[in-house]
Amino acid sequence: MAHEGTKLNAARAFECSAAEKISAGDRPSFHLTPLTGWMNDPNGFCWYNGCYHLFYQYYPYDTVWGPMHWGHATSTDLLHWQYQPCTLAPDTIPDGMGCFSGSSLPLPDGRLLLMYTGVTADPQGGKNLQVQCVASGDGIDFVKEENNPVIPRTLLPEGYSAVDFRDPKIWYEGGSYYCAVASRHTENLGSVLLFESLDALHWKFVTVLDSSRGQLGRMWECPDFFALGNTQVLLVSPQEVQATADGEFHCGDNTAALLGSYDRTTHVFTRRSVQAVDQGLDFYAPQTTLAPDGRRILVGWMQSWATTPTAPRRHTWFGRMSLPRELAVHNGRLCQQPVREIETLWADEIRLEGVTVAAPTGLPGIGGRSLDLTVTVDVAASPDCRCFALRFAEGGGRFVEVRCDLAKGSLTFDRSCGGCRRDIPHIRTLPAVPREGRLTLRLILDLDCAELFLNGGERTVSALLEAPAQAAGISFRAEGGPVRLTVVQHTLR
Ligand code: FRU
C-alpha cells in the first residue's frame, strides 16, 4: 500500500471514525459537505471512470482551516455523493505545509492526474512559498511525482510572487498539456499565467493570460479557462476587490468571469467583458468540468472567507459546495442554471398561474425548506407595482427577503432578519432588469442553503441561512400597486 505509515493513513483512519458520529440528517440533502472537519475550494472536478469526482480542500481534524489535505467524493448525478478516502495529505517536502487547490485530468494510460499547489516553508524564514505539484493514480489512491515540484518558482517570470502562486487548472489541447496558474505581479496585481508541457511533468512558461490591471482585486485565486460556444471564459476569484457602483462587485473576495476570445496559436486571450459569477454572500473559488454529454458544469465553495471566523459551528463538519450548475453564454453574459438532474428530485408540483398579490400573503401549498420554486413576476402587467418582495424561511419572526425594486431595476437579497446573531454581511443588492416584461426568480432551498437564479441564471445569489428548520413559510408582497405572478413549486425529495 503506497501510503502506509504516512499522514494520509492517519487522516483516513481519523475521518472514518469521526464520520460515523455524523448522521445524514445533520447535513443538507444534496449539497456536498466534508466527510468530517473543514472544507473549502472544490478541486480536481472531473468525469473519470464512469462517475464525477469532486475533490476538496480539507482539514479533517477540526472545523477550521488547517494544513490542507484533499478530500474526495464521487457521484453519478451531481446530487447524491459517495465519500471516498482522503486523497492527499501534506507529507512531502514540496507540499509539507499544505496541498492547496488544483485540478485533475484523465491521462491516456487510464490514470487520473492531479495537479495542485504545494506549500513549503521558505528556507530564508520568510512567508511560505508555493509551487505546482502532480500526483497520479486510479481515482482513489495517488502517488506523488518524485520530481515534484513540476513547476518550481524559478519558472515564474520577473515581477511575480512565489508567495502567491497557486491553484493550477490543467487541460489537454492540440497535443499539449496546459495549465493556468494564479499569481500576483508587483504592479498588475492578480494575474493568470499559462504554462505548457508535452508530458505534464516538464513545464515551461508561455504567457500571462490576463491580469487585474490594478482594478479587479490584489490577488486572483482559483483560475479556470475554457471555451463555451464561441466565447472563451477565464474564471478567477479576486481578493480585496473595491466595490463597483454598477452593483456588479462587492467589497472583498469576489468571483469573476472574464469573457473574450482566445487565439490558440499565439495564446493571446482578449478580454471583452467582466462580470461577477455569483453575487451572493456565500460563494467562492468555483471550478468547472465537462460532463460526458458536453455540458460545462460549475461548482463553487458555498461559504465565504469573510464570515468563516465567526460563522457558528453547529456540526463536526464545516463548509459545503454549491449546487452544480450548467453554464451557457446568453446576450454576452455567463448564465448558470441548476443542473437538470435536480428534476429527478422533484416531488409534487404546485402551479399557480396569474395570481394577483398586494398585501403580504402566503399562497396555497407554497412553502418548505427543500424546494425548487420559480416565481415569474409579470412586470408589464403590474404597472403600479413599485416593489415586489418574496419572503422565505419565514416563521417565529424570522425571514429572509428578496426585494425587487421594479422602478430602479435592482434586487436586494437580505438575510439580516434570518436569525443570525453576528454582525457579518447579510445584504447584497444587484441589478435586476425585466426581460420581455418579466423577472424570473428561481429559488432552490436545501435546508440552510439558498441559491437564487435570476432571469434564467443571468445572475445568481448563493447564501447560507440561519433560520431554524421549522421556519418554512413563504410569503409575497407588493408595494405601490398589485403584482401579477406565476408561481411554480416542486418539493425536493
Ligand atoms: C481559495 C484558496 C486558494 C488556496 C486554498 C487554500 O479559497 O485561498 O487560493 O489554494 O484556498 O486552502
Side-chain angles (χ1 to χ4, degrees):
M1 197 33 221
H3 302 290
E4 231 157 50
T6 64
K7 278 189 185 173
L8 184 65
N9 269 357
R12 287 180 169 189
F14 177 83
E15 65 182 1
C16 281
S17 62
E20 274 172 18
K21 298 177 195 122
I22 305 174
S23 72
D26 288 342
R27 302 178 187 268
S29 42
F30 52 92
H31 284 75
L32 178 66
T33 52
L35 179 51
T36 184
W38 164 277
M39 164 193 274
N40 60 290
D41 315 352
N43 293 160
F45 189 23
C46 68
W47 174 268
Y48 171 70
N49 275 355
C51 60
Y52 294 98
H53 292 251
L54 184 52
F55 302 86
Y56 52 89
Q57 287 286 277
Y58 184 37
Y59 183 59
Y61 302 106
D62 204 344
T63 54
V64 295
W65 190 88
M68 278 292 112
H69 295 57
W70 276 32
H72 184 197
T74 51
S75 173
T76 51
D77 65 0
L78 299 161
L79 300 168
H80 299 92
W81 293 95
Q82 193 174 348
Y83 289 106
Q84 302 295 346
C86 179
T87 304
L88 297 175
D91 56 7
T92 64
I93 291 169
D95 65 18
M97 306 298 280
C99 300
F100 275 20
S101 284
S103 50
S104 70
L105 188 71
L107 294 173
D109 66 7
R111 289 174 306 153
L112 184 65
L113 185 81
L114 307 181
M115 187 166 198
Y116 66 98
T117 297
V119 183
T120 45
D122 176 9
Q124 324 290 342
K127 287 189 177 166
N128 288 342
L129 301 170
Q130 304 185 336
V131 289
Q132 315 317 318
C133 300
V134 295
S136 56
D138 61 3
I140 301 292
D141 294 303
F142 291 83
V143 179
K144 292 177 182 173
E145 170 61 30
E146 262 176 36
N147 295 326
N148 275 336
V150 292
I151 306 188
R153 61 179 194 273
T154 47
L155 286 190
L156 266 177
E158 186 70 27
Y160 288 91
S161 164
V163 169
D164 284 319
F165 179 36
R166 56 184 176 268
D167 311 336
K169 172 71 195 238
I170 186 173
W171 71 95
Y172 184 77
E173 185 167 39
S176 280
Y177 294 90
Y178 293 95
C179 73
V181 190
S183 186
R184 184 171 46 80
H185 186 264
T186 37
E187 280 158 30
N188 290 326
L189 304 176
S191 304
V192 176
L193 312 184
L194 180 72
F195 293 85
E196 181 177 4
S197 168
L198 290 176
D199 58 5
L201 297 174
H202 302 85
W203 293 86
K204 62 172 198 228
F205 168 73
V206 181
T207 191
V208 179
L209 286 173
D210 206 344
S211 74
S212 164
R213 306 172 193 170
Q215 288 167 355
L216 189 65
R218 276 177 50 76
M219 169 59 186
W220 284 0
E221 300 188 306
C222 302
D224 200 341
F225 192 56
F226 52 88
L228 207 54
N230 298 327
T231 305
Q232 186 72 20
V233 181
L234 178 60
L235 296 182
V236 289
S237 292
Q239 298 178 306
E240 296 180 61
V241 174
Q242 291 167 305
T244 54
D246 60 5
E248 195 70 34
F249 295 102
H250 54 81
C251 302
D253 293 340
N254 279 253
T255 50
L258 318 182
L259 274 52
S261 57
Y262 180 51
D263 183 326
R264 286 176 167 68
T265 315
T266 59
H267 302 296
V268 172
F269 171 69
T270 308
R271 190 204 292 187
R272 260 197 325 266
S273 63
V274 185
Q275 67 170 89
V277 177
D278 189 287
Q279 295 179 279
L281 295 146
D282 297 291
F283 191 88
Y284 195 63
Q287 187 175 87
T288 72
T289 193
L290 258 193
D293 61 7
R295 288 176 296 164
R296 176 64 61 174
I297 315 274
L298 172 141
V299 64
W301 180 43
M302 197 171 174
Q303 203 78 51
S304 93
W305 285 113
T307 56
T308 50
T310 49
R313 284 5 186 207
R314 301 200 193 286
H315 310 285
T316 51
W317 58 266
F318 182 86
R320 65 193 80 199
M321 293 300 164
S322 72
L323 181 62
R325 302 157 181 197
E326 297 177 15
L327 300 185
V329 174
H330 294 305
N331 304 321
R333 262 193 95 79
L334 180 69
C335 295
Q336 302 165 60
Q337 295 274 27
V339 283
R340 61 195 65 170
E341 285 83 347
I342 189 115
E343 293 173 20
T344 63
L345 304 182
W346 284 0
D348 30 85
E349 173 180 302
I350 296 180
R351 178 178 291 269
L352 306 169
E353 303 261 359
V355 194
T356 300
V357 163
T361 181
L363 290 173
I366 303 296
R369 287 288 287 270
S370 185
L371 48 83
D372 184 348
L373 176 80
T374 299
V375 179
T376 307
V377 185
D378 194 340
V379 180
S382 316
D384 298 325
C385 177
R386 276 184 284 108
C387 171
F388 160 73
L390 161 74
R391 284 188 179 179
F392 62 95
E394 190 170 20
R398 308 270 156 240
F399 59 87
V400 179
E401 186 166 276
V402 176
R403 268 187 311 275
C404 300
D405 186 321
L406 302 182
K408 281 201 198 130
S410 68
L411 178 151
T412 299
F413 184 99
D414 183 350
R415 66 173 181 192
S416 48
C417 292
C420 183
R421 294 179 189 277
R422 290 171 179 80
D423 185 12
I424 57 174
H426 291 301
I427 300 179
R428 293 269 192 256
T429 296
L430 42 134
V433 179
R435 303 284 171 212
E436 291 165 6
R438 293 193 177 83
L439 271 182
T440 34
L441 308 175
R442 182 171 178 191
L443 176 69
I444 309 269
L445 282 183
D446 181 8
L447 211 59
D448 55 351
C449 310
E451 286 160 280
L452 183 69
F453 298 81
L454 171 70
N455 288 344
E458 67 178 24
R459 293 180 185 274
T460 64
V461 178
S462 301
L464 298 179
L465 314 178
E466 293 230 5
Q470 312 83 277
I474 292 188
S475 69
F476 304 83
R477 168 181 104 235
E479 287 167 19
V483 68
R484 244 177 111 73
L485 307 172
T486 291
V487 180
V488 181
Q489 172 181 291
H490 292 98
T491 306
L492 298 174
R493 188 195 352 237

